[in-house]
Structures are given as structure tokens and as C-alpha cells.
Amino acid sequence: MRAIIRPRPVPLRGLDHDMSLDLGVVGAGRVGAVLGAALARAGHRVVAAAGVSTASRERNSRLLPGAAHLPADEVARAATDLLILAVPDDALAGVVSGLATTGALRPGQIVAHTSGAHGLAVLAPVVPRGARPLAVHPAMTFTGTAADLARLPGTSFGVTAPADLRPFATRLVADLGGVVEWVAEADRPLYHAALAHGANHLVTLVNEAADRLRDAGVTDPAKVLSPLLHAALENALALGDEALTGPVSRGDAGTVARHLRRLSASAPDSVPAYLALARRTAARAIAAGRLRPIDAEPLLEVLADAAGAGRTPVGDATREEASA
């Protein structure tokens, strides 16, 4: 009878404090290099890293000085325990497919990606090779410098893992100083949309506000915005919609109309974003009971007028959102 060849069991190295992993990083950009450096600090060995750009190679030298700079398939072969794929979301499937096709993966090896948008499905090609899939996404923004290491403690990691890899994922995140948030496969796009909406759009919003302050003659917008925005963020996280303040939450239609007139004259590109956020703010204020629908009517009319003829009535859309 021919022997049945089975993949060796998933390695549990790294679950015990006296054990370490041999790992590699493909796409050693801001995220990959920092996570690799954090795992090295925790006692693991980053044996190799791949990065195409000059910036990636310089980052590797700074943060992963002991790692060999190799092509991606050679990194995969050297990373006997854990391979971290820290590449852009839209490039991930191609990288996974390429590594699986070249035969660089091995049974029992854990292949983890850092994409927030993807779960385990994108790693499906590694499974027939005997490798194990893992999605581990840090809910943090990175600069790609050693300063990021200080931000990792307490950071949440959105993790999607097969049931038998959950203990490994928990230990891996703990070694990074983080906290696990289990995210179902089907919920990965929603999880990532929430983070991008909150963090990426916040950067755009802050810079828009800074630009408009400069237009108004303020020489140091950061000095003006810093205490206000820090307080607003802290209040929003602690109080939710109860933290809403300002003219929209009060239904001050005249003030909002003046905002829109001046923005239209000075910075017309800012008007659509202002309108979209004002609409959503009004809807949330009404739903939270902070703005009575009857008091919101003049404001909703201003927003509808500013949206322009021939478009979906902003007031009606806002009322529908608030009543949903």
C-alpha cells in the first residue's frame, strides 16, 4: 500500500516564550519593516526581506539590519516558520499566486498578510502547498521609522484565522505588543472601510481645514487646530454623537449659508466635501435627538439649494437617513 503523505503539523514555535520564529518579510515598506523590527525585538529572527525600491532597501537597513535582502521567492524559502506579506492590497493576490507557482512555499509554513481589506480567501493558493493562511492587520498608521515601534503597544490587530491557528495568531499579536480583534472573513471589507473612512479621510479633513485657515490669513493653522481637534476626537470617542457641536448640530442655517457662499468663492473644490459632511452630520444630529426635525428644516433647505438643481434633494435624503 502506498504511504499517504500528509503535510507536517502547523509549527507552534513562538507560542512558548522560550521559542523563536525564523521569519521573512516580502514588501518591506512602512508596515512590513516595522512589524519585522517589532518581532525581532520580541526575540524572533528576521532572516530575509524583499523590497524593490531604494526607500525599501534603506528602510530594511535601518530597521532590519540582520536580514538578507533577497528576491521575494528566496525570502519565502528562507522564512521557514512565518512569511509576512506586506504589499499593497491590489498587488497581494498576484504576489501570493506567484509564490505558490514558484514552489517557494513549504508545508507547515505560515503565510500572513497585513492587508485590512483582505481575509483568508486571497491566500487560497498557499493551501495546496501545505502552507497555512493568516490575515493580521494593524489598525495603525505607519511612517516606516523606529518611532512606529512605540505606537504598537496597545494597537488593535484585525485578525482572521483558521480556528487551529488562533492560538498562534494571539501569541504573534502579543509579541507585537498588540491586542487581537477577531474579524470574520465576510466582514473584512467593512472593517477596512471603517478604518480608512476614519483615519485616511481624517487626514484629508484636517488638511482641508488647515488650508482654509491659511486662506483666512492664519499663519499657523496647526496651532489653532491642535487643541480643538484633539478635544473633538477625544469627545467623539468617549461620547459618540453626544459630542456633536457647531452650526449644523444647532440648525444654524444662516451660518452654514455664509460658509457655503465664502467657500464657493474662495475654495469651490471644498464645497462638495463640506456639503456631504454637513448632510451626514445633520442626519446623525436628528437621529441622536440633538436637533429637532422642525428646527432642521431651514438648514436642510440651505443644503438642498447648495447641492444645485437637478440633483437628489439633499433635505429629503437627510430626512430619510435620519428616520432609518
Side-chain angles (χ1 to χ4, degrees):
M1 181 181 294
R2 187 171 61 182
I4 297 176
I5 300 175
R6 304 180 189 276
R8 66 181 175 88
V10 175
L12 297 180
R13 285 157 49 88
L15 288 176
D16 299 323
H17 287 282
D18 58 347
M19 299 298 289
S20 62
L21 300 167
D22 285 344
L23 65 100
V25 181
V26 171
R30 294 181 179 185
V31 176
V34 171
L35 296 187
L39 289 172
R41 282 190 175 187
H44 303 295
R45 294 182 295 274
V46 184
V47 296
V52 177
S53 68
T54 300
S56 292
R57 290 193 292 270
E58 292 175 350
R59 195 177 295 113
N60 286 348
S61 298
R62 292 195 309 271
L63 295 176
L64 307 173
H69 181 73
L70 300 173
D73 61 330
E74 293 184 30
V75 173
R77 291 185 175 91
T80 54
D81 297 315
L82 172 65
L83 177 64
I84 297 176
L85 305 180
V87 299
D89 293 344
D90 289 351
L92 181 57
V95 171
V96 171
S97 178
L99 291 174
T101 301
T102 60
L105 306 176
R106 67 183 66 204
Q109 182 181 34
I110 296 173
V111 180
H113 72 69
T114 62
S115 167
H118 291 288
L120 301 181
V122 73
L123 295 173
V126 313
V127 176
R129 307 298 177 183
R132 305 303 311 282
L134 182 63
V136 182
H137 173 258
M140 176 54 64
T141 184
F142 290 82
T143 63
T145 66
D148 292 334
L149 295 171
R151 299 190 181 100
L152 285 177
T155 294
S156 293
F157 282 72
V159 179
T160 305
D164 62 334
L165 275 189
R166 283 194 167 203
F168 178 91
T170 300
R171 174 61 201 280
L172 184 68
V173 171
D175 283 350
L176 290 166
V179 179
V180 170
E181 289 289 340
W182 301 110
V183 180
E185 177 79 9
D187 290 333
R188 294 292 292 198
L190 182 60
Y191 158 82
H192 193 242
L195 296 181
H197 190 33
N200 303 153
H201 296 169
L202 176 63
V203 174
T204 302
L205 180 61
V206 170
N207 286 324
E208 280 278 304
D211 288 345
R212 301 296 73 81
L213 284 174
R214 291 188 188 95
D215 293 344
V218 175
T219 57
D220 189 355
K223 181 180 179 181
V224 175
L225 288 171
S226 181
L228 173 65
L229 297 186
H230 277 92
L233 177 60
E234 291 172 4
N235 289 340
L237 293 174
L239 303 174
D241 286 327
E242 290 298 312
L244 280 173
T245 63
V248 172
S249 68
R250 294 190 298 266
D252 290 344
T255 297
V256 171
R258 284 189 290 274
H259 289 177
L260 288 166
R261 284 196 295 271
R262 184 57 193 271
L263 285 172
S264 295
S266 302
D269 287 347
S270 290
V271 172
Y274 183 101
L275 279 172
L277 289 171
R279 292 169 61 187
R280 192 67 188 123
T281 299
R284 297 192 71 98
I286 294 169
R290 296 186 60 79
L291 178 62
R292 297 189 306 169
I294 191 172
D295 295 331
E297 288 296 334
L299 170 69
L300 299 179
E301 291 175 5
V302 166
L303 296 176
D305 290 343
R311 301 184 182 180
T312 300
V314 179
D316 292 345
T318 304
R319 284 190 289 275
E320 289 171 6
E321 288 177 358
S323 62

